[in-house]
Amino acid sequence: MTKEELMHKAIALSKDNVSNGGGPFGAVIAKNGEIIATGVNRVTANNDPTAHAEVSAIREAAAKLKTFDLSGCEIFTSCEPCPMCLGAIYWARLDKIYYANDKNDAARIGFSDAFIYEELSLPKEQRHLSTERLLADEAMETFVMWSNSEDKIEY
């Protein structure tokens, strides 16, 4: 399939999802023009704030390919990824992102991510979500265990 055909599929998924009680977002993961996985936004339908189209597609692709490394794959999404999805795309090592609507289009219909980007640029003590470090020494033991493990799978 061409890039345009794959994007048409992502957009069609988003339209179908709105008709089925979900958010206006769809995603397709492809490898060499072949669809590997798809996802739609089911945040409110599933009461899952992480059920974004891109994350759902990544989960499906990783399960289907039996790997957490999706190098060689590309993602086609009906809207520019939010910070969570963008992070997931980087962690999954997808080669390229294609998107249709952008974050400004999303903000105009009530899906603004600007507050997250603004929060991340602030020092922790100035953020709206309070954070506190606890038991760092105890937790460090796990990092030492990981560092010393000879059978770990690095990612």
Side-chain angles (χ1 to χ4, degrees):
M1 297 179 81
T2 66
K3 296 184 297 190
E4 291 78 11
E5 290 170 324
L6 291 163
M7 185 58 77
H8 281 301
K9 176 67 174 169
I11 294 168
L13 286 166
S14 70
K15 287 179 182 178
D16 290 345
N17 198 49
V18 170
S19 298
N20 290 304
F25 305 99
V28 170
I29 293 178
K31 186 170 189 170
N32 300 320
E34 179 186 333
I35 294 176
I36 303 298
T38 63
V40 294
N41 180 289
R42 302 304 289 168
V43 170
T44 57
N46 295 354
N47 293 314
D48 179 354
T50 69
H52 289 205
E54 299 90 338
V55 171
S56 298
I58 288 168
R59 288 174 179 160
E60 183 180 310
K64 184 173 183 180
L65 297 176
K66 296 178 176 33
T67 181
F68 57 84
D69 184 345
L70 299 179
S71 297
C73 297
E74 300 174 324
I75 190 164
F76 296 79
T77 180
S78 63
C79 187
E80 185 175 2
C82 74
M84 177 183 69
C85 293
L86 187 58
I89 289 165
Y90 274 100
W91 280 116
R93 299 183 182 126
L94 290 159
D95 288 357
K96 189 166 184 174
I97 302 167
Y98 295 92
Y99 65 90
N101 295 319
D102 69 17
K103 63 184 177 185
N104 299 313
D105 299 323
R108 280 191 288 279
I109 63 164
F111 293 95
S112 178
D113 302 319
F115 74 97
I116 296 174
Y117 289 110
E118 290 166 9
E119 283 284 300
L120 292 174
S121 69
L122 294 172
K124 289 179 189 149
E125 61 276 0
Q126 291 180 17
R127 295 179 186 169
H128 289 88
L129 182 61
S130 176
T131 60
E132 180 179 346
R133 191 169 184 186
L134 269 180
L135 302 176
D137 291 337
E138 182 179 331
M140 189 55 67
E141 293 174 25
T142 309
F143 280 18
V144 171
M145 288 172 60
W146 169 260
S147 294
N148 293 333
S149 176
E150 294 183 18
D151 62 345
K152 65 183 169 230
I153 298 173
E154 295 199 27
Y155 58 95

